[in-house]
Amino acid sequence: MTPVVPELKLFTNHDADRTIIQIESLTLIYRGNYYHFPGGAGDTIHVFTQSIAIYVLTINKGYGRMALNAYMVQQPDALNGIYLHSPQEIVDHLGAEWEQLPAIDITMKLIDYLI
């Protein structure tokens, strides 16, 4: 498992009178390929590759949410993912001391729930 630092793009859309901006998608660009993934304000994003897979881990401690999405090279949409909706779900999956775990360890533990 190798950590990578890809380019990220936020795509927005303006309404007809240009007073409202809507977020259309968050896109990760890696080796010329585009991957769509969920993310928002306050998220910390970690990206790892292993063989032909790309894993995107997003952690939002403020909202107590976490997600891991798995992609195959050249496939723009996630093939699988797990979304933990609350601090209790995070503790249930990773243990009470999860905040001391490195992101790569969190990713490896959550991969077990993808299979």
Side-chain angles (χ1 to χ4, degrees):
M1 177 101 32
T2 305
V4 296
V5 181
E7 181 180 355
L8 297 175
K9 297 254 184 207
L10 177 65
F11 292 94
T12 61
N13 187 20
H14 295 274
D15 70 346
D17 64 7
R18 305 199 48 89
T19 60
I20 297 173
I21 299 172
Q22 295 176 318
I23 296 174
E24 294 294 322
S25 67
L26 192 55
T27 302
L28 177 146
I29 304 167
Y30 181 67
R31 293 190 175 170
N33 296 308
Y34 291 72
Y35 306 93
H36 308 287
F37 70 97
D43 284 0
T44 301
I45 301 167
H46 303 273
V47 181
F48 301 96
T49 61
Q50 184 175 31
S51 183
I52 61 170
I54 298 171
Y55 299 100
V56 179
L57 174 67
T58 56
I59 301 170
N60 190 310
K61 290 182 182 179
Y63 287 112
R65 297 187 298 223
M66 182 181 298
L68 178 69
N69 288 285
Y71 301 83
M72 298 304 275
V73 174
Q74 298 181 347
Q75 298 294 322
D77 297 313
L79 295 176
N80 205 343
I82 180 171
Y83 190 83
L84 305 177
H85 299 272
S86 70
Q88 186 58 52
E89 283 188 20
I90 295 171
V91 169
D92 290 347
H93 286 81
L94 300 173
E97 302 294 319
W98 73 268
E99 291 187 66
Q100 279 67 54
L101 294 173
I104 196 165
D105 291 351
I106 292 171
T107 301
M108 295 299 288
K109 286 179 178 247
L110 291 180
I111 284 172
D112 291 339
Y113 293 99
L114 297 178
I115 298 171

